[in-house]
Amino acid sequence: MMRLALLIALCLCLAACGGDDPTTTGGTTTQDGVDQGNPRALAASVFAMAKSGNYAALEGIAAPSADGDCKRIAGVGKAEPDKQAEFAKYFSKGSVSGDATIDGDKATVPILFGPEGTKTETFHMVRIDGKWFLESL
């Protein structure tokens, strides 16, 4: 029941982020709720999965060219419990802090993360076959 409520909340949040611009509308949401349809939605999905504990849903969100940090995010579902706890500590209070900047098949999304959700960082993403993937942060 709690998972359903979280999924509904995530869908409402992602719907509010959309618009009429085809570069920012979703449409590639996995069964587990990760939306790779636009950069902002993918970033929000990382935080939603960190809050929900559904780490396995993040598998496959790292681009083949991704750096180690992004590969660790995508692989957290198979990580040791201490690594999962560290991920939750740093990403469960995170949020998207601004608009995505899209340049062709590359994008950046400003985020806040960390134990208090106040550290600034940027997700760098790449679009492959219509889906957005983490590339670096």
Side-chain angles (χ1 to χ4, degrees), residues 8-19 35 41:
I8 291 170
L10 175 63
C11 289
L12 291 174
C13 177
L14 294 176
C17 296
D35 187 344

Side-chain angles (χ1 to χ4, degrees), residues 48-114:
M49 297 306 116
K51 289 175 189 156
S52 73
N54 186 10
Y55 310 131
L58 297 172
E59 186 175 351
I61 66 164
S65 58
D67 68 7
D69 290 333
C70 292
K71 287 181 180 179
R72 280 188 288 280
I73 290 171
V76 73
K78 294 181 180 176
E80 296 295 322
D82 62 323
K83 298 295 183 187
Q84 291 179 345
E86 184 178 8
F87 172 74
K89 178 180 177 181
Y90 280 88
F91 287 90
S92 65
K93 293 184 181 177
S95 62
V96 176
S97 62
D99 292 329
T101 301
I102 299 172
D103 183 12
D105 287 333
K106 298 281 187 171
T108 57
V109 180
I111 63 165
L112 296 172
F113 80 116

